[in-house]
Amino acid sequence: MQAPVTVEFIVDAEASEQIKDLGLKWIKPYGEHISIKDEIDETLLESLSNEELVEFIGINSEYLIYLNIKG
């Protein structure tokens, strides 16, 4: 198994209720966007699209603005 990689998900602030319900820790809001950091296994990063990755952590992909891999 490969090591987890930190991934930053920038999502629309409209996802805030979903984030709260999931118990995800958001880092800080950027105006209308929210930053969430999570550890994702490198194998998943290689096999899933950005939309699939955000849904993997429980957020609807329609809210995804940007994904930043902190390798």
Side-chain angles (χ1 to χ4, degrees):
M1 178 178 261
Q2 297 186 359
V5 176
T6 300
V7 178
E8 180 181 27
F9 298 90
I10 306 295
V11 299
D12 192 295
E14 291 181 18
S16 63
E17 285 300 315
Q18 204 173 43
I19 293 165
K20 186 173 125 184
D21 290 345
L22 291 166
L24 295 173
K25 294 182 181 181
W26 54 274
I27 305 302
K28 61 181 174 177
Y30 294 107
E32 296 181 2
H33 302 137
I34 298 172
S35 172
I36 302 160
K37 290 187 180 173
D38 204 349
E39 297 287 319
I40 305 289
D41 188 89
E42 190 172 355
T43 305
L44 286 174
L45 287 176
E46 294 170 356
S47 62
L48 297 178
S49 70
N50 291 354
E51 289 79 13
E52 291 170 323
L53 285 169
V54 76
E55 292 206 359
F56 177 77
I57 66 167
I59 299 173
N60 291 343
S61 62
E62 66 188 78
Y63 296 123
L64 180 64
I65 304 294
Y66 182 76
L67 184 135
N68 187 19
I69 298 171
K70 304 278 189 175

